Structures are given as C-alpha cells and as structure tokens.
Amino acid sequence: NFDPSLYTYLNRITLLSRDDQNEEDTGEVNIMTIHAAKGLEFPVVFIAGAEEGIIPHARSMEENAGDVEEERRLFYVAITRARDKLIITSCRTRRRQAGLLECSPSPFLEEIPAELVQYHEPDTTVEEEEIAKIFAQMKKKFSM
C-alpha cells in the first residue's frame, strides 16, 4: 500500500540514509525529524523553528502537561545530536494563511545555560523582494 504523504517519504529516506552513513565529509546534508535523529550524532546540527507553538507544539501545551515534558525530552535529543556546533533558529514573524503571525522563541531555549549560548540578531530586516531575488539567483545557479 503506497502512502504518498511527506511524513512517510521523509521517514523512508531517513531510514535509507541511516544505512548509507559514513564518517567521510561528502558535503551532504541530512534532513530528518527529531525522532529519526535519536542515537545519531553529527558535527553540525541546525534546529529550525524553535518557536513557542512549534517546540513545544501548541497541542502539547493545551492538552496535557505531561506532553510538554515529552516535548522537552525531544528537544534535549535534538540539541545533543551535535558534536561540534549547534545552530538554533527562530522567526520573529511567520506567514500563516494570508497574514503574518508574531512569534516568540521557544521557552526551552531559556533552559540552556547562558554560558553555552551566543545570540546573533540580524542587523537589518530582509525584505521580501530581497529574498525573492536571492532565491531566483540560487535557482539559476543550481539549475541544470
């Protein structure tokens, strides 16, 4: 039975890539869920979207306090996958349907000891036109 969902696809390619991993630096990037990363280590790990409502997920905060603890454990798994460098990002605003949603960083970030954290704020706001221009350049550069 074929399931064309993104979740199924990402799980399938994650399982395939686990078997093919080697220690050689090939310049490849692995994209995976936190669940799929359990037990693995990487020199550099990026965690994108570390915002309230995403990590921890809004449903876990609404439904059951125990679910927040499970989300905290998952976040711990994510941050401990990095051997050398961990980069965590969050947005100030996120586009939802037709409007913009104000975002706050994940409350879990406050639990990381301050001496282990370096904050980097952009000097300026990047406008949508600039982003579109950058993506157009990247598309042109990497098109075959």
Side-chain angles (χ1 to χ4, degrees), residues 10-39:
L10 289 175
N11 275 330
R12 184 171 56 79
I13 64 170
T14 299
L15 291 174
L16 291 173
S17 68
R18 275 188 180 182
D19 296 337
D20 299 336
Q21 286 181 357
N22 56 32
E23 292 298 314
E24 185 179 315
D25 182 10
T26 60
E28 295 176 349
V29 174
N30 293 308
I31 299 174
M32 62 184 65
T33 64
I34 295 171
H35 288 90
K38 284 182 184 177

Side-chain angles (χ1 to χ4, degrees), residues 55-138:
I55 299 175
H57 195 276
R59 273 193 310 241
S60 68
M61 294 175 10
E62 295 166 2
E63 294 173 2
N64 183 351
D67 291 344
V68 173
E69 288 307 310
E70 178 60 22
E71 296 269 328
R72 182 176 279 109
R73 282 188 287 278
L74 282 172
F75 186 67
Y76 178 80
V77 166
I79 64 175
T80 57
R81 300 306 90 205
R83 251 181 296 195
D84 303 321
K85 187 175 258 189
L86 172 67
I87 300 164
I88 303 173
T89 66
S90 63
C91 296
R92 289 188 182 139
T93 57
R94 186 175 285 278
R95 192 173 297 285
R96 286 268 163 86
Q97 288 131 11
L100 289 177
L101 175 69
E102 293 291 323
C103 299
S104 300
S106 170
F108 294 160
L109 297 176
E110 296 170 10
E111 298 172 16
I112 300 173
E115 65 272 10
L116 300 176
V117 178
Q118 286 184 329
Y119 288 95
H120 298 276
E121 295 280 334
D123 295 333
T124 60
T125 301
V126 179
E127 298 299 325
E128 257 184 76
E129 296 80 27
E130 291 177 76
I131 294 171
K133 185 178 175 182
I134 291 167
F135 278 117
Q137 290 170 348
M138 287 174 57

